[in-house]
């Protein structure tokens, strides 16, 4: 029997306890150590005053996972946290990549509420139909591939959720994305811009594809772009699923 | 001040309490009545023994929302539940559609863990990169549009999550979807087939695009199809995000 510890890759959701799953909370609470990017450990440390918490800086994902692996090999149960869902652009992949076949370490991914889900819930019901999620960060992905995906998503009349739309060093991509969307989607397509979804300072605007660049968009923003049926009513953004074709009401 | 009740559209996640958020649980617990499709109310009724629960049959989405609206107008706080996230192919949209501007009813959507997220966590880390979610149900959407979206998703090398892949009356779509995927994706692309994710009788297989039809696929199945970088290791399906290009380890 292995005396290695177990690794839980935990999606914490937006950050507040209210938006965590019971399982995510329990796994963090019962781990010997919680490890994560400092922005995320800062969000949750108040809920686990008696647990050791180790923070690391951004861009240190590989080092963070190697540290987690070492801790597990030393017999510790470790919760490696991601905001949102650890399985969506989160830490689950890199953790599995780093573990070797003969490491004999058990890994469990605990799903969470993603940024897209949290943002959608705030602005109404924009994602009632087929949708794509695209990160505009070209740190790990070629910009040409990202552009191609934007093009295909717009052609398919998908609802589009944009992650990492803008950062300090990367300001032009969101304008290029808008331009690509406008080739296929109406300029009046409803767009929701949600900053800090589910966190302090949560803010959002509902605007249109044409006017979306008039609002603040930063690294902590999710941009949701509707499909051809999306509309705005009572300040909420709604994509009908199609019941009105089927039933009368 | 309105004496109307409030409507909470609650995503319960896969169904177990462990996978609910604290907020979802609290909203259900504190509502006067929980309303939902019988399959879902059956999943959660044990957690709320003191709350009135009303079930309705499938295909009765509009009637269900009208009933919820009537209850709220009668001063009741109502939790209308969806499995997964109420904002992803769930009840949030139809609820908002039905409420009129002068109804003076407050609606709040409580996000949850979606079926895609739950399925992904079970099989490893398949969704570490841009992905699309497509429902193969042509009950409310033309099959031609669904096929076009499959085509574009495959062209864009997106990870693909298929909802409602098959039902009793609808058996051929999944084979057509596979054929479209094979036009652009390698026959060796890893595919995860997850039945009853997060529920009793949870089962999954990891296979390939070529062989995916050899396994049981039904209405309660999520089919996850990788991108060109997805691979299988130690029985887990992993889509690398691209750190290996950036860092050595």
């Amino acid at each position: 029997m292995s005396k290695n510890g177990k690794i839980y890759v935990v999606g914490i959701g937006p950050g507040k306890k209210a938006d965590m799953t019971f399982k995510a909370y329990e796994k963090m609470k019962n781990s010997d150590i919680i490890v994560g990017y400092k922005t995320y450990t800062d969000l949750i440390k108040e809920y686990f005053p008696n647990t050791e918490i180790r923070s690391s800086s951004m861009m240190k994902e590989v080092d963070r996972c190697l540290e987690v692996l070492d801790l597990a090999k030393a017999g510790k149960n470790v919760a490696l946290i991601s905001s949102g869902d650890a399985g969506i652009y989160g830490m689950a992949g890199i953790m599995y990549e780093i573990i070797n076949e003969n490491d004999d370490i058990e890994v469990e991914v605990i799903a969470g509420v993603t940024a897209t889900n949290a943002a959608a819930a705030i602005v109404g019901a924009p994602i009632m139909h087929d949708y794509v999620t695209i990160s505009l960060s070209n740190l790990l992905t070629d910009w040409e591939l990202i552009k191609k995906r934007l093009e295909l998503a717009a052609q398919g009349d998908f609802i589009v959720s944009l992650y990492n739309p803008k950062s300090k060093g990367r300001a032009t991509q969101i304008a290029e994305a808008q331009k690509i969307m406008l080739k296929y989607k109406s300029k009046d397509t409803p767009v929701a811009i949600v900053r800090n979804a589910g966190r302090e300072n949560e803010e959002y605007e509902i605007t249109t594809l044409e006017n979306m660049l008039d609002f603040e968009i930063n690294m902590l923003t999710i941009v949701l772009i509707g499909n051809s049926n999306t509309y705005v009513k009572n300040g909420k953004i709604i994509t009908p699923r199609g019941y009105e074709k089927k039933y009368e009401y």
Side-chain angles (χ1 to χ4, degrees), chain A:
Chain A
M1 210 154 107
S2 164
K3 58 179 183 15
N4 289 334
K6 194 166 166 181
I7 297 171
Y8 302 100
V9 192
V10 179
I12 64 170
K16 289 183 188 161
K17 189 178 167 191
D19 298 314
M20 288 176 195
T21 67
F22 286 89
K23 196 198 274 179
Y25 176 83
E26 289 302 324
K27 293 302 185 190
M28 284 188 273
K29 189 160 180 289
N30 296 327
S31 288
D32 298 304
I33 303 171
I34 297 172
V35 176
Y37 169 42
K38 190 169 183 310
T39 302
Y40 307 143
T41 55
D42 282 350
L43 288 169
I44 56 103
K45 63 185 178 189
E46 65 176 299
Y47 308 124
F48 308 100
N50 302 315
T51 307
E52 183 186 342
I53 296 183
R54 295 195 190 182
S55 306
S56 64
S57 52
M58 219 177 160
M59 313 286 233
K60 292 286 184 191
E61 292 85 357
V62 174
D63 292 345
R64 203 180 303 152
C65 289
L66 290 170
E67 182 186 1
V68 166
L69 183 57
D70 282 344
L71 289 166
K73 284 181 174 174
K76 303 288 188 188
N77 292 319
V78 191
L80 172 64
I81 66 170
S82 281
S83 74
D85 183 340
I88 310 289
Y89 302 110
M91 296 299 294
I94 184 72
M95 193 67 241
Y96 275 120
E97 286 191 75
I98 273 171
I99 291 179
N100 289 315
E101 315 213 353
N102 50 9
D103 274 338
D104 189 25
I105 298 278
E106 204 182 333
V107 176
E108 184 179 344
V109 180
I110 318 294
V113 170
T114 66
T116 295
N117 298 174
I122 293 162
V123 299
I127 313 185
M128 284 295 112
H129 217 294
D130 303 331
Y131 71 104
V132 318
T133 300
I134 299 175
S135 168
L136 295 192
S137 170
N138 60 345
L139 206 62
L140 303 173
T141 308
D142 290 335
W143 180 239
E144 289 307 313
L145 177 58
I146 298 170
K147 279 201 295 188
K148 181 182 174 189
R149 286 178 175 164
L150 290 165
E151 190 98 22
L152 295 164
Q155 274 180 55
D157 195 24
F158 284 99
I159 303 150
V160 177
S161 173
L162 299 179
Y163 275 60
N164 308 315
K166 205 173 182 180
S167 71
K168 277 180 191 160
R170 196 167 45 73
T172 60
Q173 278 87 342
I174 185 69
E176 276 196 76
Q178 179 204 33
K179 201 178 287 177
I180 292 167
M181 291 288 134
L182 281 168
K183 284 168 65 179
Y184 305 95
K185 288 176 181 278
S186 156
K187 66 181 175 51
D188 300 318
T189 304
V191 169
I193 294 169
V194 187
R195 291 180 295 277
N196 302 305
R199 297 189 187 157
E200 302 253 335
N201 309 318
E202 172 184 293
E203 292 176 316
Y204 73 89
E205 288 99 19
I206 292 177
T207 177
T208 61
L209 190 53
E210 183 178 31
N211 296 319
M212 60 178 268
L213 298 184
D214 296 347
F215 300 90
E216 191 194 338
I217 295 175
N218 58 37
M219 203 60 187
L220 297 173
T221 304
I222 292 286
V223 178
L224 299 173
I225 302 167
N227 72 15
S228 58
N229 296 313
T230 305
Y231 64 95
V232 176
K233 184 172 88 169
N234 291 340
K236 296 289 180 181
I237 183 168
I238 302 165
T239 301
R241 180 134 185 220
Y243 292 113
E244 68 282 6
K245 277 194 240 160
K246 214 78 188 170
Y247 313 99
E248 283 183 44
Y249 61 87

